[in-house]
């Protein structure tokens, strides 16, 4: 009896299930994948699991996805042909795939023409094709994460290595734009074909070894990367001096089962799409690991959520509706799937960010995360034991830089001393102190050895830097445009331009009268007397004054004179008197200020007039500017003692009326001869000062320039100048090589007009008040 009941129950259930099945509406969906690849296989397996899970939970739904799987075999033409067959023959309502690249313009036009959503896992994102959706990490987010990593380590130069394919430049274009905003340069880029033999890959790697930049971004397929990195390992390029950054496309190489490949990746860092941990993901991963030995791919996780979104959308719109409604329903899908918040905007999947993964100990570890809102968040101090500098100096001299110095230079700047006991060359001086201060402040260690040169000019040693015999040149090297063809200069650490050195003239006993011409002197004293009379008259007319008799004209004159020194003690009783005195004080203040400035210029520039009118000008015999800077008669000198003797003799007695030299050298002369007998009376910024020389393209140029700017701002550079050139000297504006114009009456006419008008008005007002008072007094007498 029990057996019969059980059999009847089973029969009833089977009949009911068939009845329900008969009511299901199959919706044809095409799947185009490379079933011979692990990614294609994993996506397909995930899709089938998703369909089973979705309808197991929603068994009452009237629609069912009917899968039509096609194998593209990794061929783009085959994939394209398969898509067309599914659309035209099978009449599918949606296509999922392919995961191999097909031109987005072509695939998008096919989708728009058929008005059937195509959900692709590869390709370039294009907004103009609404029926083409992309379930993949967009290249802009990938570029932003790489840019953030490079910027966080303060690398300024990178190399970009990518697979030579139709879509290989999308990430590169985005990186170019982002790097430009951050002042980061892509100094070199290499495209490698997927069909390249090992010999060609090694040839390209040798090119990388020949350049200084050691931060290398790699964007290629795992199959090509599995041949690229073992060759790089054999060439010694996987050392700590290099930083290898793998894109999201390349990071799948870490799933390789080949020991040689995994070993070659030690120290590399890469980006993998971030999938937040969840209970659903945990259970899915457990089921996956029972079936497969490899880790589930992120595309497989996204494919799982995509099927749920597609199946839900199909159920809502119904099978007989057109593709436009289905597309709109898919785009409205926004739910928390196994991959996190699933949302498609403008045809693209919204990124959750990236995991930053470091290949270490023949495995991997997560060292940080990148999200659009927070940027980089670290979970480990660095992705390597030692942070690479990002560049190397490709010389055959070992790790130390070889810096050239001349043994016969000015001792204040570079004084070279050879230590016979230690067999090393040492140097002291202002330039050496600045060089060492900046070098020690760099965020990485740089050591150097000095290479002395007894013979040869500056240009000869610059040629040695250009020929890579030495890595740099430490000297008082003038920054010149023509030298940039051979070497790079740091920012200047001295003042700019050429200056004119003269001997001060102390013989003119009447020079204090020269700042103002005769007319101005006479007008000034005339207004002094005029204002004195006006104030005396106003005070005399003031009936409220109780001491008018004591305020004689002599007292008023003395009061006006003492206002020049702000030492008057006499008090004025009339407001009109104070009004006149106020404008007089303004005029006196302006006149004194102008007089002082003009006299100062005259005291220092008088001697220079001799040279500018055809006198003799001295220059340094080894200077680059000899014979081209001045039109006067020139005499060459080679020592500071010669400068002093020449200026003492003067041009008429076999010496020089002025010396033209670079401003830093004149400063050094003034520090040595600091008795006030000499002065720098002008400077012209026709040279760019002194800088340190390095080989073309050396990253030390930018780093040292940055440190020079810092020590200039914090006062360290000024302290070093005081240490070596401890003196006070006077510099005039750069256009002060011509004689300052004497103060003339025309320049101050307005000032005298204001003072005169104010005094006249005050006097008239006082007269009117006096007449008015007299009239009122007469009227009061008459009325009495």
């Amino acid at each position: 009896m029990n057996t019969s009941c059980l059999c009847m129950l089973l029969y009833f259930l089977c009949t009911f299930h068939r009845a329900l099945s008969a009511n299901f509406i199959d919706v044809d969906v095409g799947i185009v994948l490379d079933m011979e690849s692990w990614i294609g296989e994993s996506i397909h397996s995930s899709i089938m699991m998703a369909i089973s899970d979705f309808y197991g939970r929603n068994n009452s739904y009237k629609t069912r996805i009917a899968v039509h799987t096609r194998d593209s075999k990794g061929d783009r033409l085959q994939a394209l042909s398969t898509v067309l067959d599914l659309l035209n023959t099978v009449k599918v309502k949606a296509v999922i795939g392919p995961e191999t690249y097909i031109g987005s313009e072509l695939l998008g036009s096919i989708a728009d023409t058929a008005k059937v959503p195509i959900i692709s896992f590869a390709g370039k994102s294009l907004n103009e094709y609404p029926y083409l959706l992309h379930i993949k990490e967009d290249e802009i987010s990938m570029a932003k994460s790489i840019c953030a990593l490079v910027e966080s380590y303060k690398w300024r130069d990178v190399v970009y290595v990518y697979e030579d394919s139709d879509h290989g430049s999308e990430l590169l274009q985005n990186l170019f734009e982002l790097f430009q905003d951050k002042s980061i340069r892509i100094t070199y880029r290499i495209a490698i074909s997927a069909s390249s033999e090992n010999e060609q890959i090694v040839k390209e790697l040798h090119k990388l070894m020949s350049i200084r930049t050691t931060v290398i971004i790699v964007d290629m397929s795992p199959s090509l990367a599995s041949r690229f990195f073992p060759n790089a390992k054999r060439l010694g390029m996987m050392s700590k001096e290099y930083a290898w950054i793998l894109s999201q496309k390349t990071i799948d190489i870490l799933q390789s089962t080949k020991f040689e490949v995994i070993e070659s990746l030690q120290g590399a860092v890469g980006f993998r799409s971030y999938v937040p941990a969840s209970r659903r993901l945990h259970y899915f991963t457990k089921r996956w690991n029972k079936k497969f030995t490899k880790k589930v791919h992120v595309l497989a996780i996204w494919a799982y959520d995509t099927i749920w979104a597609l199946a839900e959308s199909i159920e809502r719109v119904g099978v007989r509706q057109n593709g436009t409604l289905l597309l709109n329903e898919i785009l409205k899908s926004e739910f928390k799937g196994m991959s996190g918040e699933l949302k498609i905007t403008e045809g693209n999947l919204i990124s959750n960010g990236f995991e930053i993964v470091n290949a270490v100990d023949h495995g991997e570890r997560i060292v940080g995360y990148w999200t659009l809102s927070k940027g980089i968040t670290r979970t480990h101090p660095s992705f390597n034991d030692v942070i690479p500098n990002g560049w190397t100096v490709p010389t055959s001299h070992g790790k130390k830089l070889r810096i050239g110095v001349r043994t016969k230079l000015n001792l204040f700047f570079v004084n070279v001393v050879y230590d016979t006991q230690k067999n090393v060359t040492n140097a002291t001086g202002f330039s050496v102190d600045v060089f060492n201060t900046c070098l020690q402040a760099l965020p990485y260690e740089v050591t150097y050895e000095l290479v002395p040169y007894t013979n040869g000019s500056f240009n000869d040693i610059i040629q040695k830097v250009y020929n890579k015999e030495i890595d740099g040149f430490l000297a008082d090297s003038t920054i010149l445009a023509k030298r940039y063809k051979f070497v790079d200069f740091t920012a200047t650490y001295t003042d700019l331009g050429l200056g004119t050195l003269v001997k001060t003239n102390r013989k003119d006993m009447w020079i204090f009268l020269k700042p103002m011409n005769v007319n101005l002197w006479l007008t000034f004293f005339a207004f002094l007397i005029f204002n004195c009379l006006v104030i005396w008259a106003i005070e005399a007319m003031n009936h409220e004054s109780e001491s008018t008799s004591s305020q004689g004209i002599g007292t008023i004159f003395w009061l006006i004179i003492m206002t020049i020194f702000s030492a008057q003690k006499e008090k004025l009783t009339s407001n009109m008197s104070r009004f006149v005195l106020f404008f007089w004080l303004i005029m006196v203040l302006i006149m004194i200020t102008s007089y002082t400035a003009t006299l100062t210029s005259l005291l220092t520039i008088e001697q220079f007039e001799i040279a500018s009118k055809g006198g003799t000008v001295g220059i340094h015999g080894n200077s680059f500017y000899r014979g081209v800077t001045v039109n006067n008669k020139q005499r060459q000198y080679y020592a500071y003692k010669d400068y002093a003797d020449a200026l003492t003799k003067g041009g008429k007695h076999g010496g020089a009326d002025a010396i033209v030299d670079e401003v830093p050298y004149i400063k050094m002369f003034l520090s040595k001869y600091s008795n006030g007998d000499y002065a720098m009376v002008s400077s012209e910024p026709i040279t760019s000062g002194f800088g340190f020389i390095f080989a073309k393209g050396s990253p030390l140029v930018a780093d040292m320039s940055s440190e020079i700017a810092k020590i200039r701002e914090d006062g360290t550079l000024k302290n070093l100048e005081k240490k070596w050139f401890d003196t006070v000297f006077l510099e005039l504006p750069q256009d002060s090589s011509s004689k300052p114009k004497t103060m003339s009456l025309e320049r101050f006419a307005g000032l005298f007009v204001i003072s005169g008008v104010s005094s006249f008005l005050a006097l008239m007002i006082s007269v009117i008040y006096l007449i008015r008072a007299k009239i009122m007094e007469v009227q009061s007498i008459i009325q009495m």
Side-chain angles (χ1 to χ4, degrees), residues 351-368:
S351 174
N352 288 323
F354 295 95
E355 296 175 343
I356 304 176
V357 182
N358 186 201
V360 62
D361 297 332
H362 301 93
E364 62 180 61
R365 66 180 174 186
I366 298 176
V367 295

Side-chain angles (χ1 to χ4, degrees), residues 508-522 524 590-606 739-748 752:
D508 190 352
M509 60 183 295
W510 300 106
I511 194 171
F512 70 92
L513 295 175
K514 291 184 178 180
M516 299 194 301
N517 63 16
V518 176
N519 292 335
L520 186 57
W521 278 114
L522 293 176
F524 179 78
I590 296 174
M591 294 292 292
I592 290 176
T593 304
S594 302
Y595 174 88
T596 303
T598 306
L599 180 60
T600 302
S601 300
L602 287 172
L603 288 172
T604 55
I605 206 167
E606 186 181 59
K739 180 180 178 180
K741 294 182 179 179
T742 301
M743 297 164 60
S744 62
L745 178 60
E746 291 79 9
R747 286 175 172 265
F748 296 90
F752 286 110

Side-chain angles (χ1 to χ4, degrees), residues 89 91 121 142 160 172 193 198 204 211 226 280 316 341 401 410 445 450-451 505 509 530 536 629 635 707 748 761 783:
T89 305
K91 304 296 183 180
F121 297 102
M142 183 76 261
Y160 187 77
L172 177 61
S193 173
N198 281 343
E204 299 296 342
I211 62 178
S226 64
R280 291 185 63 189
R316 285 198 295 266
E341 295 292 339
L401 295 175
N410 197 298
E445 183 179 358
L450 295 176
V451 181
N505 190 342
M509 60 183 295
F530 172 71
W536 172 78
T629 57
R635 287 178 180 155
E707 295 304 326
F748 296 90
L761 287 176
Q783 292 176 357

Side-chain angles (χ1 to χ4, degrees), residues 586-657:
I586 291 177
M587 187 177 74
V588 168
L589 176 64
I590 296 174
M591 294 292 292
I592 290 176
T593 304
S594 302
Y595 174 88
T596 303
T598 306
L599 180 60
T600 302
S601 300
L602 287 172
L603 288 172
T604 55
I605 206 167
E606 186 181 59
Q607 183 66 27
F608 181 65
E609 287 184 308
I610 303 174
S612 63
K613 293 179 180 179
T616 302
V617 173
I619 61 172
H620 197 281
N622 293 327
S623 295
F624 67 92
Y625 54 83
R626 61 181 183 274
V628 296
T629 57
V630 290
N631 297 322
N632 307 64
K633 181 180 177 182
Q634 296 181 13
R635 287 178 180 155
Q636 297 183 7
Y637 303 97
Y638 296 89
Y640 288 150
K641 186 177 183 302
D642 298 336
Y643 283 10
D645 293 341
L647 291 173
T648 301
K649 292 179 181 178
K652 295 181 179 180
H653 301 90
D657 298 305

Side-chain angles (χ1 to χ4, degrees), residues 13 94 108 216 292 596 621 629 668 756:
L13 290 173
I216 305 174
F292 302 102
T596 303
T629 57
M668 187 168 58

Side-chain angles (χ1 to χ4, degrees), residues 201-220:
I201 293 176
V202 171
K203 181 179 179 181
E204 299 296 342
L205 286 169
H206 277 295
K207 292 179 181 178
L208 290 180
M209 295 177 67
S210 66
I211 62 178
R212 291 176 168 83
T213 307
T214 58
V215 178
I216 305 174
I217 301 170
V218 181
D219 182 42
M220 59 178 62

Side-chain angles (χ1 to χ4, degrees), residues 377-397:
T377 304
R378 299 180 186 275
T379 59
H380 194 271
S382 69
F383 63 77
N384 215 331
D385 293 334
V386 178
I387 300 174
N389 296 336
W391 58 270
T392 58
V393 180
T395 66
S396 58
H397 314 308

